[in-house]
Each structure stands twice: as C-alpha cells, then as structure tokens.
C-alpha cells in the first residue's frame, strides 16, 4: 500500500496548526506482483486505532527527543458533562503541556475553535462530533494562499506580540513516567466507550456457536504489530505497571467502555483505539498496546456477519484440530480481523441471565387468573365505557392475566389500543390483590402510562428512578407485584437486566409493552441484533425477553 503525505502548518484562520493529509492510493500491488483495488472500508473501520497509534508514537518521539510532556485532551461532550467524574471522562487526544506552551498562547491561536463554538451556540446545538462537523462546513472560508515565508513572518509577529520566544520552549530532556498507571481499569474503559461512541447497528450478527472465542494464531508468521505486542508479555508488563492497576484493570475497563458505543456490538479496532488512548495517560505506547490487546482477548467475544460465516469454516475446523493448516491461513486471519465485531462477555452474561430467568419460571402457573374472572371485568369495562374490545385486544388481556411464568409482552404500534387494554388489565390484577407498578424510559411516557392505565402515581416512575429505588431498598417488591413497562423497546440492556434481577429476586412479574420499530435504546442496546443459537434467545421489541416457550407475544393491530 502506498500513500503521499502532505504537511500543512496553518489552519483556515491562518493560525499555526501543524497537521498532515495522507492521500492513499486506491491501487495496491500484491506479493505476486498483481495490481488490485484497495478495500478502504477496512482502513475506515480501523481509524480509531490508527489515530491512537499515531498519537502514541508521535508523543513518544517528541518526549525522547525534546523531553516534552503532554496533557490529555478530553472528549468535548465529556468535558462539558458535569454529571460524570474527572476519571470517567474519555481522552480524545493529547496536547503539549502548558509549561511548554502557555494557555495564553493556545487561546490566542484558537480563533477557529471559538468560531465553531459560537456557531453551535447560535444554532442551539450541543457540542458533539456530528454537530461540530456541521459547524465546520457552515463556517468554512476559502483558504488564503500565503507563501511559507509570509506565514512564518506572520507567526513570528504574533508570537512577538505575545512575548513568547523559541527559547521559552527549549528545555532539557525530561523524564516521562510511563509506568505510573493507577486509575483506569478494564470495566471502567469499556463503560466510557459504550457511553460516548455509537457504533453503527448491524442486524446480521451472531455469535459463532462452535468457536465463540477469538482464534489463536498458530502460524509462526507474525505481523509487525503482533511481534510488537508479543514482545511485552504479561509477566514483563506486571513489572513495569504499577501494582495497583493490576488489581483493578481486569474488573473495570469493560464497564467503562460499554456506555460509549451504546450498542452491544463494536469493532475490535475501535475498542483497541479507545483503550490505547486511555492508557497512554499513564504509560508508554507499547504498554498501552499490550493492555488493549489483553483486555480485548480477556473481556470480549468475537462475532462475525452471517453472510461471511461460510468463509471461516476452514479456519474453525483448523482451530478445532479437524484439518491441517489451510494454505490461506494468513488471509483467513486477516479477513477475520477485518470482518469481525465484538460483544463484551458482560453483555452476554446479562442477556443470558434474562433468558435463564424467563426459562426457569416459564412453567409457573400460580399467578394465572381464571377465565370467568377476566370476562367479568372485561364486560364491566365495556359497559362502563360503551365499547367492545376487539379480538386482538381480548387476546392481549388474556396474555397479561393468564400467561404463566415471569414475562408477558404486548407489541403494537401507537394508537392500536394498548393503553385501553392495560387499563382493564390493571383493574383485573388489582382486584386479585396484585400491586401494579408502571415504568418507561422517559418521565413523560411514565406519567402518560399512569393516567391512561390508572396506575397509582406513586407507583409510576421512569426506569432510572425505579432502579435507584430498588437498589437503595426504598422500593420493595414481592410475589404480588406486576410491572407494566411501556416503550420497553427503548430500554437498554443494563436497565432490563437490573429490573429483571430485582423482579426475579422478589418473584414479581413484568409485562413488556411497546413496538419493535421504536427509537434506538437509550444506553447499551440492540441486543436483538445477534443471537446465540444454543440458547434460542427470543427478542420482543428489540429487548431480550426469554426463550420462545417462556413468553407469549400478541401483536395488537386494529
């Protein structure tokens, strides 16, 4: 692969901004001397990792040659988020520390940044990657053509005005304490990644049933990156890295990463790029690469697109010892790296817990209400309101009151009569001695559920408040509790897990209400975009509910 690199020393506001533009040729030459087109999708999917590696080695060289130290630059949305701690905030890049370039100098040459911030303020937009990209295009002026000598003359004049001289930058080589890691851990990094970095939804993923873990390379031919990573064994890393981080690093990187992506699947390249940047705050680029590789290996399961499954059958057979090493083993390994996505073991554990709970309780018939009692309440409701329930609505009422097990589900579009049905269900359940609770992701939806279904306001709250109350013990459920969960397709995997966990412990029951085509979940979602064929996980409205036999789904369509 070949590319041409262009160095620029200014931005569009004629301020010092040293950066590079790399033009990649779309044609490559293979080892056999053949010309082929370059698949740039693979490069694009690796942009986060490439960016992290570039920053890491650039920082290393500048430190070795000039003794320069660096400060992390936080993700903009994190920097402005007052609801998360400083250690939760994700690193986007690194700047030379202020003892080399004072803050006054940086601010003087940040007109372009202020210009973008003002554009966002005028448009009333939050500062995100997408909105900043819009602002950049909306405020972009034509470049001014100045010669290098003219640019340097202007820069010198600007620096002279600030009283900043080259001598102020020149320092003796400093010491860079690469091994002082003591705050970040596996779960912590992963939670941050999922929180801030939305991955593109991919609806054709599943866990490779026969080979869920990443294949171990048996070929002796290692790439340069592999050789570099393998150079730092875990034993050596333990010596170099502060012992405190070794006690916590396995436990927290994954949780910290999960809230950044907001979907359960992500690319391994994105994960490695994220972890490398977070670790580089405290250690060398080599150690950061090792940490990222180890965390990916230990905390994630690889998934591949269904339409690529057949391609890797020889690889799986080889890894299982069923066939000799294929001649194209290197190509298969590179393809696996290019096409694979990952799911954290924590996401799989939570999803499996939900499924197991449903399957374990599916034969429980203790809370089934007899047919005559249901019909009595239905007729009373029809008489009081002057209408007749449709066949679909009647079926939904019976599902809510006569389905055994822990879960029931109602799937219907807006206006299909779900609220009318739930109002009758609430009356039936309360008459039988059940305490009915209501929840939804948003407070507005929760209030509407309380009013339309007739649930006591004190027992209706958004899912965040409900989870907090359950965790703190201010809300106590028992086996006479029924939760109606509206707009459940918008719930994150974490929220479903927390509420199901408390419901299972109390013997409570949950009726999921919503529609499969609702908005994307708030938080880690899209659990329905992959499935484990061995456990036959079923999904209702994008939420993992339980095995097919453990939930009955009635689709309301009027």
């Amino acid at each position: 692969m070949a590319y041409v690199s262009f160095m620029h020393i200014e931005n569009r506001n004629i301020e010092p901004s040293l950066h590079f533009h790399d033009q990649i040729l779309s044609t490559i030459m293979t080892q056999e001397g053949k010309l082929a087109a370059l698949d740039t999708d693979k490069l694009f999917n690796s942009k986060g990792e490439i960016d992290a590696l570039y920053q890491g080695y650039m920082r290393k060289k500048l430190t070795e040659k000039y003794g320069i130290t660096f400060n992390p630059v936080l993700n903009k949305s994190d920097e402005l988020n007052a609801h998360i701690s400083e250690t939760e905030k994700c690193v986007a890049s690194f700047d030379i520390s202020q003892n080399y370039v004072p803050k006054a100098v940086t601010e003087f040459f940040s007109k372009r940044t202020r210009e973008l911030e003002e554009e966002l303020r005028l448009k009333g937009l939050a500062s995100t990657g997408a909105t900043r990209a819009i602002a950049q295009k909306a405020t972009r002026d034509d470049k001014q053509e100045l010669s290098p000598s003219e640019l340097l003359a202007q820069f010198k004049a600007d620096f002279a005005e600030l009283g900043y001289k080259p001598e102020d930058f020149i320092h003796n080589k400093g010491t860079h304490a690469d091994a002082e890691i003591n705050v970040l851990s596996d779960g912590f990094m992963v939670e941050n990644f999922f929180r801030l970095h939305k991955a593109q939804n991919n609806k054709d993923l599943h866990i490779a049933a026969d080979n869920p873990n990443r294949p171990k390379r048996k070929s002796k031919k290692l790439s340069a990156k592999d050789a570099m990573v393998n150079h730092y064994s875990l034993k050596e890393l333990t010596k170099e890295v502060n012992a405190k981080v070794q006690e916590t690093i396995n436990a927290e990187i994954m949780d910290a990463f999960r809230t950044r992506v907001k979907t359960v699947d992500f690319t391994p390249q994105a994960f490695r790029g994220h972890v490398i940047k977070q670790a580089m705050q405290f250690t060398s680029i080599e150690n950061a690469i090792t940490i990222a590789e180890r965390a990916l290996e230990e905390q994630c399961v690889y998934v591949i697109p269904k339409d690529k499954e057949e391609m890797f059958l020889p690889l799986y057979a080889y890894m299982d010892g069923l066939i000799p090493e294929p001649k194209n083993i290197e190509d298969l390994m590179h393809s696996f790296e290019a096409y694979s996505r990952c799911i954290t073991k924590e996401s799989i554990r939570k999803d499996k817990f939900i499924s197991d709970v449903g399957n374990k309780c599916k034969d429980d018939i203790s809370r089934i209400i007899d047919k005559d009692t249901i019909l009595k309440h239905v007729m009373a409701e029809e008489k009081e309101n002057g209408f007749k329930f449709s066949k679909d609505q009647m079926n939904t009422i019976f599902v809510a009151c006569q389905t055994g097990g822990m879960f029931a589900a109602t799937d219907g579009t807006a206006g299909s009569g779900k609220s009318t049905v739930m109002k009758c269900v609430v009356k039936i359940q309360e008459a039988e001695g059940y305490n009915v609770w209501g929840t939804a992701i948003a407070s507005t939806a929760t209030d509407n559920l309380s009013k339309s279904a007739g649930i006591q306001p004190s027992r209706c709250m958004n899912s965040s408040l409900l989870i907090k109350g359950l965790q703190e013990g201010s809300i106590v459920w028992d086996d006479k509790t029924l939760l109606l969960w509206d707009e459940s397709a918008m719930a994150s995997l974490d929220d479903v897990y927390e509420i199901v966990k408390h419901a299972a412990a109390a013997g409570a029951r949950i009726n999921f209400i919503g529609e499969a085509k609702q908005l994307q979940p708030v938080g880690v979602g899209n659990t329905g975009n992959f499935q484990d064929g061995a456990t036959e996980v079923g999904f209702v409205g994008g939420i993992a509910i339980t095995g097919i036999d453990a939930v009955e789904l009635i689709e309301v369509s009027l």
Side-chain angles (χ1 to χ4, degrees):
M1 187 179 78
Y3 67 93
V4 179
S5 187
F6 297 93
M7 184 180 74
H8 288 178
I9 62 173
E10 84 283 5
N11 62 18
R12 290 178 181 269
N13 291 61
I14 314 300
E15 298 170 332
S17 178
L18 183 63
H19 62 280
F20 297 85
H21 294 269
D22 297 315
Q23 308 298 319
I24 301 172
L25 301 184
S26 61
T27 302
I28 61 171
M29 179 174 289
T30 66
Q31 292 180 341
E32 295 77 21
K34 297 179 180 179
L35 293 178
L38 179 66
D39 183 358
T40 54
D41 287 347
K42 297 177 183 179
L43 286 173
F44 180 80
N45 290 336
S46 301
K47 64 183 185 300
E49 184 177 13
I50 294 171
D51 180 52
L53 293 172
Y54 175 84
Q55 291 185 28
Y57 284 108
M58 176 67 77
R59 192 188 74 161
K60 177 183 178 180
K61 292 296 183 182
L62 290 173
T63 299
E64 289 176 347
K65 188 169 184 178
Y66 301 108
I68 297 171
T69 57
F70 293 83
N71 293 327
V73 177
L74 300 177
N75 181 289
K76 197 65 177 179
S77 58
D78 270 9
E79 185 179 11
L80 302 174
N81 190 343
H83 302 290
I84 59 177
S85 66
E86 290 300 315
T87 52
E88 286 182 284
K89 297 180 178 182
C90 290
V91 175
S93 60
F94 294 87
D95 268 352
I96 295 174
S97 57
Q98 291 183 17
N99 58 315
Y100 292 92
V101 181
K103 186 176 181 180
V105 175
T106 304
E107 290 181 346
F108 180 85
F109 291 113
S110 298
K111 297 185 183 70
R112 180 60 175 157
T113 299
R114 292 193 295 273
E115 188 176 73
L116 297 178
E117 291 173 349
E118 178 63 13
E119 179 72 10
L120 293 176
R121 187 190 68 79
L122 292 174
K123 285 183 164 44
L125 298 174
S127 180
T128 66
T131 58
R132 287 195 298 275
I134 295 172
Q136 285 173 349
K137 291 179 175 60
T139 58
R140 179 176 290 178
D141 296 327
D142 292 335
K143 285 188 174 181
Q144 300 182 43
E145 297 296 336
L146 296 179
S147 68
S149 59
E150 290 174 318
L151 285 172
L152 290 175
Q154 179 173 320
F155 293 163
K156 286 181 180 179
D158 290 336
F159 281 122
E161 181 182 341
L162 291 167
Y164 185 74
K165 304 181 294 297
E167 292 77 10
D168 297 330
F169 187 85
I170 304 301
H171 288 263
N172 294 326
K173 284 189 177 182
T175 301
H176 190 54
D178 277 341
E180 297 301 318
I181 301 182
N182 58 13
V183 295
L184 297 183
S185 62
D186 287 9
F188 196 78
M189 291 185 183
V190 174
E191 190 67 25
N192 277 355
F193 185 92
F194 271 105
R195 177 170 50 78
L196 296 175
H197 186 71
K198 287 190 177 182
Q200 183 178 4
N201 290 340
N202 187 330
K203 298 184 179 180
D204 294 322
L205 298 176
H206 75 290
I207 298 174
D210 297 330
N211 193 50
N213 294 314
R214 183 185 182 187
K216 303 297 189 298
R217 181 187 292 267
K218 290 188 177 181
S219 172
K220 294 182 179 179
K221 297 179 180 179
L222 298 179
S223 67
K225 184 179 73 173
D226 287 327
M228 177 172 57
V229 170
N230 291 343
H231 178 69
Y232 286 85
S233 67
L234 289 179
K235 183 177 179 181
E236 292 168 333
L237 184 62
T238 304
K239 295 178 182 178
E240 296 181 36
V241 180
N242 186 288
K244 184 175 180 181
V245 86
Q246 290 299 312
E247 297 174 0
T248 59
I249 199 161
N250 290 326
E252 297 177 2
I253 287 183
M254 302 311 294
D255 287 338
F257 172 77
R258 294 176 68 256
T259 50
R260 183 167 181 174
V261 175
K262 293 183 179 286
T263 58
V264 297
D265 59 287
F266 50 89
T267 66
Q269 296 92 341
F271 175 77
R272 285 194 296 260
H274 169 79
V275 176
I276 288 170
K277 284 186 180 180
Q278 308 318 302
M280 278 197 306
Q281 298 176 77
F282 313 102
T283 190
S284 67
I285 177 61
E286 291 85 359
N287 284 353
I289 292 171
T290 306
I291 291 169
E293 287 285 351
R294 180 197 49 73
L296 184 67
E297 187 74 30
E298 294 180 0
Q299 301 292 335
C300 299
V301 170
Y302 276 58
V303 295
I304 58 174
K306 290 180 181 178
D307 61 350
K308 298 293 189 297
E309 175 71 16
E310 189 173 348
M311 176 193 304
F312 298 106
L313 292 180
L315 177 62
Y316 297 152
Y318 165 60
M319 302 312 301
D320 291 338
L322 301 177
I323 63 173
E325 179 176 303
K327 292 182 179 180
N328 63 337
I329 182 65
E330 288 294 319
D331 291 339
L332 286 173
M333 292 300 300
H334 288 309
S335 295
F336 189 92
E337 178 78 5
Y339 291 119
S340 61
R341 294 178 69 83
C342 294
I343 299 174
T344 67
K345 293 178 181 178
E346 179 67 3
S347 291
I348 294 173
R349 182 190 71 81
K350 290 181 177 180
D351 182 74
K352 188 174 185 301
F353 173 84
I354 297 167
S355 177
D356 289 347
V357 164
N359 282 313
K360 184 178 180 180
C361 303
K362 67 181 181 180
D363 296 324
D364 177 16
I365 60 173
S366 62
R367 287 170 287 190
I368 291 180
I369 302 172
D370 68 88
K371 183 177 180 180
D372 290 341
T373 300
I374 296 172
L375 291 175
K376 182 181 71 174
H377 284 281
V378 167
M379 288 187 289
E381 189 73 11
E382 288 177 335
K383 182 177 180 180
E384 179 182 342
N385 293 283
F387 63 78
K388 288 253 181 214
F389 286 109
S390 70
K391 180 180 178 181
D392 284 341
Q393 289 175 321
M394 286 296 297
N395 286 337
T396 304
I397 293 172
F398 275 100
V399 166
C401 300
Q402 284 203 314
T403 299
M406 184 176 174
F407 302 125
T410 303
D411 184 5
T413 58
S416 62
K418 298 191 299 292
S419 298
T420 303
V421 167
M422 288 303 119
K423 185 176 182 180
C424 184
V425 169
V426 169
K427 289 183 178 181
I428 296 171
Q429 297 284 353
E430 287 184 340
E432 293 296 306
Y434 289 93
N435 299 313
V436 181
W437 290 69
T439 193
I441 297 301
S443 296
T444 302
T446 307
D447 292 340
N448 291 337
L449 177 64
S450 174
K451 295 172 184 176
S452 62
I455 304 174
Q456 294 181 28
S458 61
R459 291 179 179 169
C460 255
M461 62 200 71
N462 66 52
S463 54
S464 295
L465 292 177
L466 178 61
I467 291 171
K468 182 180 179 182
L470 291 168
Q471 290 174 339
E472 294 176 348
S474 59
I475 295 175
V476 180
W477 284 351
D478 56 26
D479 59 0
K480 283 290 186 179
T481 299
L482 170 65
L483 174 67
L484 300 185
W485 195 335
D486 199 13
E487 297 186 350
S488 55
M490 294 175 62
S492 70
L493 173 64
D494 293 338
D495 286 351
V496 176
Y497 169 77
E498 282 297 323
I499 291 178
V500 168
K501 180 176 68 174
H502 287 281
R509 196 161 182 267
I510 302 175
N511 191 329
F512 293 91
I513 310 166
E515 55 181 295
K517 296 181 180 179
Q518 264 176 321
L519 297 175
Q520 178 178 330
V522 179
V524 181
N526 85 319
T527 49
N529 290 352
F530 71 95
Q531 68 177 30
D532 184 343
T535 58
E536 287 190 333
V537 177
F539 298 91
V540 178
I543 293 178
I545 302 300
T546 180
I548 296 171
D549 294 333
V551 63
E552 184 174 357
L553 172 64
I554 296 296
E555 188 169 323
V556 180
S557 56
L558 299 181

